Amino acid sequence: MIGYGGDYNPEQWPREVWDRDYEAFRLAKVNTVTLGVFAWAHLQPAEDTYDFSTLDAIVGRATAEGERVVLATPSGAMPPWLAHAYPDACRVDFEGRRHVYGQRHNACPSSPDFRRLSVALAGRLAERYGRDPAIVAWHVGNEYGGACHCPLCAAAFRDWLRERHGDLDGLNRAWNTTFWSHTFTDWEQVQPPTALSEHWRGPNHTAFQGITLDYRRFLSDALLGGFVAEKAAIREHVPDTPVTTNFMGLYQPVDYHRWAPHLDFASWDNYPPEDPSASRTAARMALAHGLVRGLCGGKPFWVMEQTPSVTASRDVNPVKRPGVLRLWSWQSVAHGADAVLYFQLRQSRGACEKYHGAVLDHAGRTGTRLFREVAALGEEFARVGAELTGARTPARVALLVDWDSWWAVEMSDGPNRNVRYLDVLTAYHRALWQANAPLDVVPVTADLSGYDVVVAPLLHVVKGDFAERVTAFVERGGAFVTTALSGRVDEDDNAFLDDGPFASLLGLWVEETDARQPDVVNPVALFGTGHEARHVFEVVVVEDAEVLGTYGADFYAGAPAVTRAARGRGSAWYAATLLDDAGVAAVVRAALDEHDLTGPLADVPD
Amino acid sequence: MIGYGGDYNPEQWPREVWDRDYEAFRLAKVNTVTLGVFAWAHLQPAEDTYDFSTLDAIVGRATAEGERVVLATPSGAMPPWLAHAYPDACRVDFEGRRHVYGQRHNACPSSPDFRRLSVALAGRLAERYGRDPAIVAWHVGNEYGGACHCPLCAAAFRDWLRERHGDLDGLNRAWNTTFWSHTFTDWEQVQPPTALSEHWRGPNHTAFQGITLDYRRFLSDALLGGFVAEKAAIREHVPDTPVTTNFMGLYQPVDYHRWAPHLDFASWDNYPPEDPSASRTAARMALAHGLVRGLCGGKPFWVMEQTPSVTASRDVNPVKRPGVLRLWSWQSVAHGADAVLYFQLRQSRGACEKYHGAVLDHAGRTGTRLFREVAALGEEFARVGAELTGARTPARVALLVDWDSWWAVEMSDGPNRNVRYLDVLTAYHRALWQANAPLDVVPVTADLSGYDVVVAPLLHVVKGDFAERVTAFVERGGAFVTTALSGRVDEDDNAFLDDGPFASLLGLWVEETDARQPDVVNPVALFGTGHEARHVFEVVVVEDAEVLGTYGADFYAGAPAVTRAARGRGSAWYAATLLDDAGVAAVVRAALDEHDLTGPLADVPD
Amino acid sequence: MIGYGGDYNPEQWPREVWDRDYEAFRLAKVNTVTLGVFAWAHLQPAEDTYDFSTLDAIVGRATAEGERVVLATPSGAMPPWLAHAYPDACRVDFEGRRHVYGQRHNACPSSPDFRRLSVALAGRLAERYGRDPAIVAWHVGNEYGGACHCPLCAAAFRDWLRERHGDLDGLNRAWNTTFWSHTFTDWEQVQPPTALSEHWRGPNHTAFQGITLDYRRFLSDALLGGFVAEKAAIREHVPDTPVTTNFMGLYQPVDYHRWAPHLDFASWDNYPPEDPSASRTAARMALAHGLVRGLCGGKPFWVMEQTPSVTASRDVNPVKRPGVLRLWSWQSVAHGADAVLYFQLRQSRGACEKYHGAVLDHAGRTGTRLFREVAALGEEFARVGAELTGARTPARVALLVDWDSWWAVEMSDGPNRNVRYLDVLTAYHRALWQANAPLDVVPVTADLSGYDVVVAPLLHVVKGDFAERVTAFVERGGAFVTTALSGRVDEDDNAFLDDGPFASLLGLWVEETDARQPDVVNPVALFGTGHEARHVFEVVVVEDAEVLGTYGADFYAGAPAVTRAARGRGSAWYAATLLDDAGVAAVVRAALDEHDLTGPLADVPD
Ligand SMILES: [Zn+2]
Ligand SMILES: [Zn+2]
Ligand SMILES: [Zn+2]
């Protein structure tokens, strides 16, 4: 059975509305409801008062209606009383400002009070509802994200650093603190990197990349700490029901690869950014589906949220055109989703999601185009039953995503602030997607042995034994494709002091890195066709590789721009510049072709 | 007599300059001087010291010169000693930062110390000068505006909320606090909406529109509290002389309709934003004149300030071209102004208004083009004498302006942040103005019975009995014209849970609201002519109305874009999208034509 | 001998790297190394612990290698322990936020603790190394700049104001505080001008220009105080070796003319902003070289830093094209530089300058294009030996640069925020440069008697006896060229209350000042050729001058735009608007031609 339904907040509505809602849900073949997200104030109106009566009724009614229930812990938004009683449970922002109560996703991840209270409530919920067979999954928190820079986080960061770097010598070495007289001689001297300490012009402009990189890792881990603690509290009462939280796809602040081992299954909220190209949007969603599927070893995942019609949080919120909802929903299933859920089943009456689309609008209409499309899709999903769920596809191609590189390349001073990790990642992904290659999207720690082709765009940071593993992969016959700015720094963002970890594999080293304004194009001839390169132009010295493409302009005209090194039974490919889409496709197809991996649906017109 | 003259600060100059000034004023036929604006430090050099000696001389001299005096209270700028003695009289800004002394318009409206001291000084002034027959008006404060978010304001906000919502249940209902777990269980939990609580990306991006909307109302009322208290202190000594303050026309932060009942007459400062189109600038000034005239039931108003030549506060400050000053000044009179005054009579020597234009420049020249134009206009005004003052025009058309809708539509999440209230309001106003329709600009609470046509663009918020009253207006024969995004929310910014208050009047309901980027145009055919629609495209279901125009593109091509419903003896018109100027004009003219209200000067070329 | 080499931080590297470095330095003919910049944490690991052992080794090795040593004091970046022990040694920024430890250039210049500790360390260094004959210069701090607005600075500002204005009456007069009720009655009421006091929309938007202007002067002096105190501590042990600090050329925050008397010789860091025009970049560097040479009476200066290849701090960091390094380096020498040094000799491993270019890259390569160019240049410099150093050129033309005018014209409210001092200064400079005129760049206090032509663009502020001196200069036969917006305000930014100090010299006064958006052009006919004027258009009344050019458009078409007044044996030229490059060149050439000062290399194609 494909899960179908979504977020539902009957506590915001009188009982007579519930009746009408379930009538509509039946029409739409809704079989899954997510309950309790943001219900904290409701469940615990004061620190010492719990009130489950309404939730009892809500769960009871859902069960009676035959729904599968996803039960949420409400820690995505704390209630006013909590912030009032514990002001330091509120976050301190990047500007160093202590916030007061408001919004959501607003709690300091290092606050012991928030931790204690959120975990206690998760435990109470598990204790009360854990045995209910209607509950098919637990949904902890909501869209974890954001940052805190408070004194509690500073202290937790110092502990985290002690764990990571051992002692101050290790810390000073990792952060290269002899630069600008930063040698730390006492742990208390260490500050979170903010606009008031190491940063200028915003979160990506830091004086010490190593400090900021560690703080991002710390924050990702600190948020994860909340998830893990709530999950543990649930597990005390609920032995088997899977626990997850809803991710946000290509979301930079949280390193989902650090989280993945703690999830029972992965899920995400599919709100692709507006792009006038339907094909690019489809590719972008495919990449995010792939990333999420890759988190738990390729296991089926859920689309925990999507909007049936409009978003509200964008500057401009177009409606989904007729048929788009169906198309995207089936795309989710095709990528391995076992559930396709909406945010939300009934539209909010007030506040900032008042105009966010819902299966049922403010008037609860079922005669609208939107509802008809929702119901038709429910019907389709109901017909296929369990045939399509739990599906797994073997893949021969791996696209590597690496949060450390994403962070590092975008906070780097030099060579070019216009280089955006996602732009390059999505360009390489689109080339693979248009080639219909059987693809996994995986971290750099993934076992590469099952793949024929590994593509790693902008792999700026090289950690652990990756260079050894990828070299072995190539020697055994694989094709490795990487790009400019890859292999530049170690895990602490310190430059390699030699030709870098990929030099002998690629058969070249980088002598100079030119950067130019976005309107400057260098033509690159590649397999007899001209392409355009922009932003970054490495001048490489080829020691032992075949030159496939060369620059056409500037003082390095004629120098290698794309190379291929035969190594063992395999090959290592390098694009020393950022190519346009056709150029990326040419490189990627050539590597795929060596393994005959272009798929049967390649180049289907949009 | 048309009041002519303006702000004058002789306390900044030695006495010999006064002599030369009055010589020039006589040449320019200046008959009115505004004295004492920003003179606080001068009048009260310390908390326990008042010194009226210079003001005595200033008022005495003005009186001796036969001038009519407008006496100001100086509360528009507090003196340094006040801020130093009472730091919490300074404001806390939207970012949560306590300001220290500087600028003007800088006092917390909830500060008891500022209130006490400003009111005491107003009382002293009234006591001393209240009987002077030369004083024709009292001018309280200056250009009230800005915001404070301090603890004193937080406390005052809570009191204001208690008054408005009764108890916490009422508050929670109004703000829809079950959303995102916001249920308030103690008044002290309520925070002013700021960058540190509910807001993200600035004042128009709030998690809870209801909270922010109430805070804007509160702030408008809090500032009004200062005006009312000063006026009361004046009234203790001055029984009859009218009291006013200078408004700023189309100024979003203060709801002038909430203030209007407290003014004896209205006045405003006419500094239209630069617009390359002279016609648009003229229309914009006409709208503001109309708005101000509409505040006190159509009574004559004053232009309290305008510049004779340049502004200084803009990035680029062009001089008024020859003849423009005369044109704009007569436009003011034609719209009902009884006085047309300058800021300022003598140019400041230093600080930020040093280059703001003045009747007398730094060198006190009277031989300049500027002075000649000022003097010629003075001569013209002197010739017409009292013929033109006190004039009132009966109007048959009402344009509704609603601060709540202005606020709500621009802080809404969804459908489209590019929708700006003033853009739409001014487009509809320009259509009425170019049609030369006899127009009032009034609040939604105005009595509609005297009008034939009522135009209400972007009336997003529908309050009180407005829907009933406008329905009755139509039934009795009136034409009501409204637009997309109207009739969406109630006074608390909560969505209506049915087809909305205008549905039966308009004969339609809105099924979907599409939004597109600014470059996307949907052609709308209307009375046989093609127009362009942008930004917002409602797909409406017409139950009982005539379709006048339809969309030409997208999946809703052919769907109604403009409708007219015959109701009783009248009609209700709806533009379901934002039309270009010609499209707006077509709708407006059609409605006016039903009542034969296009004026004799319609379509005069610019 | 031309100094050649640059910043070197061997304390960041193991000893075996030192060996390889010096090998490379010998290849590159490096003869000068700058040591100890940013070494504070290293030299003084705790408040009561100094450790010179590594520096001993570093200096010893450099000396043994025959290098000339520039020894730096490390006060450009304080160590973590200092900020931790003395939190108020950290700055408070323009937004009023106290910073915590991070970055560099981060110390409050008014902090007694920072002052005490930085001066003590400078003294210790001087005591230990002062007698070493290898040390050819002392380099205090680094690129002084930035701002602080803390309570310590507020107190120091009040002292500085007492010194400057005598008493509060003087202060109130200078700041024109009767405007907006700002009369200060106690020194404690005076606040630094910040976003929390007088400013809106940033550092250039102030309610009181006089306050902000004084604060900029104070900050420049406060930073200078640190330099002077360190220099004094050095002088206690080092009688003769010259002391300098590295300036940043056209750097607005610090008035280098206020600093110049305290330098033994001037030096600067040459990082020109990216400009697609090589000619404009060359002219800009020429202007900065001229400015720096002009600081110490025309004495030779040093280029203390330049990058051999790329910067890292820009958004986009292109490499220097082949030959550019040589070209720019020789340009430096041609302008009077006795040393041309690099930042840096060895590339940083981590943090924000990791990708900043260096003579030796991360791998220490000497076979790169970059190293070859560096070595070839070292060879060239070595060949010329001492022939070119210590050179001085007599100049007949003076270009006046005035920080007060730079500050005042850009913080002015009105007429036009798009007027940028550097745009106008560089336009006039380029005209002089392209004319190959023998040029000095000097302050307004310079002795004008040796010049034939004095050019003063945007000399908004006129101080002291300048008007008398320049009048005498003209009477004696000189040509004075100035522009729109010159001669407007006195030293306190108060407007002149008559025709201004240049009126009789120029033979005109300004009746109106029009300002227009950047796309508005007024054609100006000048010597029979058409030019374009933009931004500011003064309508002047000519009393006694020849009209050379007139406006071609707007209501002042036909009015004078460029004039020349014959005075005594000389002439005074005025451009009443901002002309395009060709227009500026026409004016400048005409003035130069009167003295036959166009040089032999004028109009050499780029
Ligand atoms: Zn925290
Ligand atoms: Zn307040
Ligand atoms: Zn300070």
Side-chain angles (χ1 to χ4, degrees), chain A residues 568-589:
Chain A
R569 282 176 288 171
S571 57
W573 304 66
Y574 192 62
T577 181
L578 301 185
L579 294 160
D580 58 11
D581 281 3
V584 169
V587 175
V588 164
R589 285 290 176 95

mmCIF file of all heavy atoms in Angstrom, chain A residues 568-589:
data_model
loop_
_atom_site.group_PDB
_atom_site.id
_atom_site.type_symbol
_atom_site.label_atom_id
_atom_site.label_comp_id
_atom_site.label_asym_id
_atom_site.label_seq_id
_atom_site.Cartn_x
_atom_site.Cartn_y
_atom_site.Cartn_z
ATOM 1 N N GLY A 568 45.181 1.292 -14.170
ATOM 2 C CA GLY A 568 44.788 -0.096 -13.981
ATOM 3 C C GLY A 568 43.783 -0.460 -15.069
ATOM 4 O O GLY A 568 43.987 -0.172 -16.246
ATOM 5 N N ARG A 569 42.616 -1.026 -14.611
ATOM 6 C CA ARG A 569 41.590 -1.360 -15.600
ATOM 7 C C ARG A 569 40.564 -0.246 -15.772
ATOM 8 O O ARG A 569 39.595 -0.394 -16.490
ATOM 9 C CB ARG A 569 40.893 -2.649 -15.166
ATOM 10 C CG ARG A 569 41.749 -3.878 -15.479
ATOM 11 C CD ARG A 569 41.115 -5.144 -14.982
ATOM 12 N NE ARG A 569 41.198 -5.208 -13.520
ATOM 13 C CZ ARG A 569 40.581 -6.123 -12.770
ATOM 14 N NH1 ARG A 569 39.823 -7.025 -13.328
ATOM 15 N NH2 ARG A 569 40.751 -6.115 -11.469
ATOM 16 N N GLY A 570 40.790 0.855 -15.070
ATOM 17 C CA GLY A 570 39.792 1.914 -15.091
ATOM 18 C C GLY A 570 40.317 3.241 -15.604
ATOM 19 O O GLY A 570 41.340 3.311 -16.289
ATOM 20 N N SER A 571 39.583 4.287 -15.225
ATOM 21 C CA SER A 571 39.914 5.612 -15.745
ATOM 22 C C SER A 571 39.541 6.682 -14.722
ATOM 23 O O SER A 571 38.636 6.506 -13.921
ATOM 24 C CB SER A 571 39.141 5.873 -17.047
ATOM 25 O OG SER A 571 37.748 5.741 -16.817
ATOM 26 N N ALA A 572 40.289 7.774 -14.779
ATOM 27 C CA ALA A 572 40.030 8.896 -13.878
ATOM 28 C C ALA A 572 39.911 10.162 -14.716
ATOM 29 O O ALA A 572 40.836 10.503 -15.461
ATOM 30 C CB ALA A 572 41.159 9.018 -12.856
ATOM 31 N N TRP A 573 38.766 10.814 -14.594
ATOM 32 C CA TRP A 573 38.424 11.947 -15.461
ATOM 33 C C TRP A 573 38.455 13.232 -14.653
ATOM 34 O O TRP A 573 38.025 13.266 -13.506
ATOM 35 C CB TRP A 573 37.016 11.762 -16.022
ATOM 36 C CG TRP A 573 36.806 10.470 -16.756
ATOM 37 C CD1 TRP A 573 36.838 9.211 -16.234
ATOM 38 C CD2 TRP A 573 36.537 10.341 -18.141
ATOM 39 N NE1 TRP A 573 36.609 8.277 -17.211
ATOM 40 C CE2 TRP A 573 36.408 8.947 -18.402
ATOM 41 C CE3 TRP A 573 36.388 11.238 -19.199
ATOM 42 C CZ2 TRP A 573 36.123 8.462 -19.673
ATOM 43 C CZ3 TRP A 573 36.094 10.756 -20.461
ATOM 44 C CH2 TRP A 573 35.978 9.368 -20.692
ATOM 45 N N TYR A 574 38.919 14.292 -15.298
ATOM 46 C CA TYR A 574 38.996 15.561 -14.580
ATOM 47 C C TYR A 574 38.541 16.707 -15.472
ATOM 48 O O TYR A 574 39.035 16.881 -16.588
ATOM 49 C CB TYR A 574 40.441 15.821 -14.140
ATOM 50 C CG TYR A 574 40.565 16.957 -13.137
ATOM 51 C CD1 TYR A 574 39.944 16.882 -11.895
ATOM 52 C CD2 TYR A 574 41.293 18.105 -13.439
ATOM 53 C CE1 TYR A 574 40.060 17.920 -10.975
ATOM 54 C CE2 TYR A 574 41.427 19.141 -12.526
ATOM 55 C CZ TYR A 574 40.795 19.047 -11.291
ATOM 56 O OH TYR A 574 40.902 20.064 -10.380
ATOM 57 N N ALA A 575 37.581 17.466 -14.972
ATOM 58 C CA ALA A 575 37.193 18.712 -15.634
ATOM 59 C C ALA A 575 37.789 19.842 -14.805
ATOM 60 O O ALA A 575 37.357 20.091 -13.683
ATOM 61 C CB ALA A 575 35.675 18.835 -15.706
ATOM 62 N N ALA A 576 38.786 20.508 -15.351
ATOM 63 C CA ALA A 576 39.554 21.503 -14.604
ATOM 64 C C ALA A 576 38.861 22.855 -14.546
ATOM 65 O O ALA A 576 39.420 23.827 -14.059
ATOM 66 C CB ALA A 576 40.931 21.646 -15.235
ATOM 67 N N THR A 577 37.652 22.907 -15.016
ATOM 68 C CA THR A 577 36.890 24.153 -15.051
ATOM 69 C C THR A 577 35.417 23.807 -14.890
ATOM 70 O O THR A 577 35.050 22.623 -14.857
ATOM 71 C CB THR A 577 37.160 24.893 -16.381
ATOM 72 O OG1 THR A 577 36.424 26.122 -16.383
ATOM 73 C CG2 THR A 577 36.721 24.053 -17.580
ATOM 74 N N LEU A 578 34.574 24.825 -14.766
ATOM 75 C CA LEU A 578 33.138 24.583 -14.641
ATOM 76 C C LEU A 578 32.497 24.744 -16.005
ATOM 77 O O LEU A 578 32.397 25.856 -16.535
ATOM 78 C CB LEU A 578 32.540 25.536 -13.612
ATOM 79 C CG LEU A 578 33.171 25.413 -12.216
ATOM 80 C CD1 LEU A 578 32.454 26.297 -11.207
ATOM 81 C CD2 LEU A 578 33.186 23.972 -11.725
ATOM 82 N N LEU A 579 32.089 23.632 -16.563
ATOM 83 C CA LEU A 579 31.546 23.598 -17.913
ATOM 84 C C LEU A 579 30.059 23.884 -17.915
ATOM 85 O O LEU A 579 29.365 23.689 -16.903
ATOM 86 C CB LEU A 579 31.795 22.211 -18.530
ATOM 87 C CG LEU A 579 33.266 21.868 -18.766
ATOM 88 C CD1 LEU A 579 33.443 20.351 -18.909
ATOM 89 C CD2 LEU A 579 33.792 22.589 -20.017
ATOM 90 N N ASP A 580 29.558 24.297 -19.055
ATOM 91 C CA ASP A 580 28.107 24.448 -19.208
ATOM 92 C C ASP A 580 27.455 23.061 -19.258
ATOM 93 O O ASP A 580 28.145 22.029 -19.270
ATOM 94 C CB ASP A 580 27.779 25.274 -20.447
ATOM 95 C CG ASP A 580 28.338 24.681 -21.721
ATOM 96 O OD1 ASP A 580 28.802 23.519 -21.710
ATOM 97 O OD2 ASP A 580 28.330 25.377 -22.741
ATOM 98 N N ASP A 581 26.142 23.019 -19.278
ATOM 99 C CA ASP A 581 25.433 21.740 -19.180
ATOM 100 C C ASP A 581 25.847 20.756 -20.263
ATOM 101 O O ASP A 581 26.056 19.564 -19.996
ATOM 102 C CB ASP A 581 23.919 21.974 -19.270
ATOM 103 C CG ASP A 581 23.354 22.451 -17.947
ATOM 104 O OD1 ASP A 581 24.139 22.646 -16.989
ATOM 105 O OD2 ASP A 581 22.133 22.643 -17.861
ATOM 106 N N ALA A 582 25.995 21.252 -21.477
ATOM 107 C CA ALA A 582 26.359 20.351 -22.568
ATOM 108 C C ALA A 582 27.770 19.810 -22.363
ATOM 109 O O ALA A 582 28.053 18.645 -22.666
ATOM 110 C CB ALA A 582 26.247 21.077 -23.912
ATOM 111 N N GLY A 583 28.629 20.656 -21.856
ATOM 112 C CA GLY A 583 30.003 20.216 -21.591
ATOM 113 C C GLY A 583 30.050 19.168 -20.500
ATOM 114 O O GLY A 583 30.748 18.150 -20.601
ATOM 115 N N VAL A 584 29.292 19.407 -19.445
ATOM 116 C CA VAL A 584 29.212 18.415 -18.364
ATOM 117 C C VAL A 584 28.670 17.097 -18.916
ATOM 118 O O VAL A 584 29.188 16.009 -18.633
ATOM 119 C CB VAL A 584 28.329 18.939 -17.217
ATOM 120 C CG1 VAL A 584 28.014 17.828 -16.225
ATOM 121 C CG2 VAL A 584 29.014 20.119 -16.516
ATOM 122 N N ALA A 585 27.628 17.205 -19.738
ATOM 123 C CA ALA A 585 27.029 15.998 -20.306
ATOM 124 C C ALA A 585 28.040 15.242 -21.160
ATOM 125 O O ALA A 585 28.107 14.005 -21.120
ATOM 126 C CB ALA A 585 25.793 16.365 -21.135
ATOM 127 N N ALA A 586 28.833 15.972 -21.901
ATOM 128 C CA ALA A 586 29.820 15.304 -22.764
ATOM 129 C C ALA A 586 30.811 14.489 -21.931
ATOM 130 O O ALA A 586 31.134 13.338 -22.261
ATOM 131 C CB ALA A 586 30.556 16.340 -23.615
ATOM 132 N N VAL A 587 31.269 15.082 -20.834
ATOM 133 C CA VAL A 587 32.208 14.369 -19.970
ATOM 134 C C VAL A 587 31.538 13.151 -19.341
ATOM 135 O O VAL A 587 32.059 12.033 -19.357
ATOM 136 C CB VAL A 587 32.761 15.314 -18.880
ATOM 137 C CG1 VAL A 587 33.642 14.538 -17.903
ATOM 138 C CG2 VAL A 587 33.520 16.480 -19.496
ATOM 139 N N VAL A 588 30.368 13.382 -18.793
ATOM 140 C CA VAL A 588 29.668 12.314 -18.070
ATOM 141 C C VAL A 588 29.296 11.165 -19.011
ATOM 142 O O VAL A 588 29.492 9.984 -18.690
ATOM 143 C CB VAL A 588 28.420 12.890 -17.370
ATOM 144 C CG1 VAL A 588 27.467 11.791 -16.950
ATOM 145 C CG2 VAL A 588 28.849 13.743 -16.176
ATOM 146 N N ARG A 589 28.798 11.504 -20.196
ATOM 147 C CA ARG A 589 28.427 10.452 -21.141
ATOM 148 C C ARG A 589 29.635 9.617 -21.568
ATOM 149 O O ARG A 589 29.541 8.389 -21.731
ATOM 150 C CB ARG A 589 27.786 11.056 -22.404
ATOM 151 C CG ARG A 589 26.382 11.541 -22.199
ATOM 152 C CD ARG A 589 25.412 10.382 -21.994
ATOM 153 N NE ARG A 589 24.098 10.912 -21.706
ATOM 154 C CZ ARG A 589 23.151 11.098 -22.639
ATOM 155 N NH1 ARG A 589 23.371 10.772 -23.896
ATOM 156 N NH2 ARG A 589 21.991 11.596 -22.288
#
